[in-house]
Amino acid sequence: KDPKKYPNAKLIKKMTPEELSNIIEKEAQIAGEYKLFDKLSLIIIKRSKIDCIVLNGKKVENIKKALRGEKVGTLISDR
């Protein structure tokens, strides 16, 4: 949930690509519209077995933390 729209939204620290896929499948997607995560990106993550961090990139400190290996945002991983 978007914390700007839903005050009770909570950070999910980790989820698998399959869990994310289940969330995305529930949402209607229109070409050129970005809500959470696009399906093609998720297919690439699953196929390549790469980890992905979803974070607020408007806060530069979050990017720095991710690069230092600190926990920030949501980790998408099968590990």
Side-chain angles (χ1 to χ4, degrees):
K1 290 182 181 180
D2 182 347
K4 292 178 183 175
K5 294 180 184 177
Y6 302 95
N8 63 341
K10 294 184 181 177
L11 174 66
I12 299 171
K13 293 186 179 188
K14 183 178 179 187
M15 66 176 21
T16 66
E18 194 60 41
E19 290 169 327
L20 180 56
S21 180
N22 291 336
I23 292 170
I24 290 173
E25 292 300 320
K26 293 178 186 175
E27 298 290 323
Q29 293 202 353
I30 300 167
E33 185 177 291
Y34 177 79
K35 287 193 175 189
L36 173 67
F37 211 89
D38 67 66
K39 291 179 184 181
L40 180 58
S41 297
L42 187 55
I43 290 168
I44 293 168
I45 287 171
K46 285 180 174 180
R47 180 186 64 216
S48 303
K49 298 182 181 181
I50 59 174
D51 293 345
C52 177
I53 299 172
V54 179
L55 55 78
N56 181 347
K58 291 182 180 180
K59 296 181 180 178
V60 176
E61 190 57 34
N62 286 343
I63 298 169
K64 290 178 183 178
K65 286 180 181 179
L67 291 171
R68 290 191 297 257
E70 296 176 29
K71 292 184 180 181
V72 62
T74 301
L75 174 63
I76 311 298
S77 177
D78 267 332
R79 301 179 209 191

